[in-house]
Amino acid sequence: MKTSWYQEPWAWLVFILPFTAVVAGIATFIIANSDPDPLVVGDYYKKGKAINLELGKVRQAQKLGMSFGLKLVDDQLTIRPTGIEKTFPLLNVNFYHPTLADRDFYLALTADGNGDFTHFFEAEHNVSGKWQVTISPFENHWKIQTVLTLPQSDFIAIKPDLSVAN
């Protein structure tokens, strides 16, 4: 007596393997096209020239002896100039998340009466984790970059370092 094809286990094995390959291919296609990689640079030569210009700004910060202390406690960010006695009217502070570009943000900070640059984050703004922080003046003739993990209860020394600059 012959059985129907759908009652045979070997028939299902023959059908299920190609079917899973098709489903995996469709899933891979959807994942690849729904979240494109923003890290690819089209004009790499122009980007390379810009990196050399940025390294010159870090060297300028080294020549000037620039350094800062940074701490984040209870949603209060404090940046204190420690390397030079010059006052700054405005500091540009950029926070870059290592993997999520939509979490990047920029702060323009002015000094308070003590010479510290302070910012209060809203409770729903989560800044904990690893960040690349860039500090530059309003004139943008020098810059300092560092990688740090927030929050920090004590001041972290931020000094110009060519090995973390880009």
Side-chain angles (χ1 to χ4, degrees), residues 3 26 60 65 71 73 75 79 93 106 134 144:
T3 60
I26 291 171
Q60 180 67 20
K71 75 175 178 177
V73 178
D75 296 329
I79 299 176
V93 184
Y106 161 78
T134 302
I144 299 174

Side-chain angles (χ1 to χ4, degrees), residues 14-66:
V14 168
F15 291 132
I16 209 96
L17 289 177
F19 180 72
T20 56
V22 169
V23 170
I26 291 171
T28 302
F29 180 77
I30 290 170
I31 291 169
N33 287 323
S34 66
D35 201 12
D37 188 8
L39 301 177
V40 176
V41 177
D43 191 2
Y44 60 89
Y45 181 73
K46 185 177 178 181
K47 183 73 174 171
K49 287 174 42 179
I51 288 172
N52 289 338
L53 179 64
E54 296 298 315
L55 290 177
K57 291 180 182 180
V58 175
R59 286 188 188 99
Q60 180 67 20
Q62 285 178 329
K63 285 181 191 175
L64 294 172
M66 304 300 299

Side-chain angles (χ1 to χ4, degrees), residues 70-90:
L70 182 144
K71 75 175 178 177
L72 176 70
V73 178
D74 298 331
D75 296 329
Q76 178 183 355
L77 174 73
T78 305
I79 299 176
R80 178 176 292 163
T82 58
I84 192 168
E85 297 302 320
K86 180 182 176 190
T87 58
F88 304 100
L90 180 80

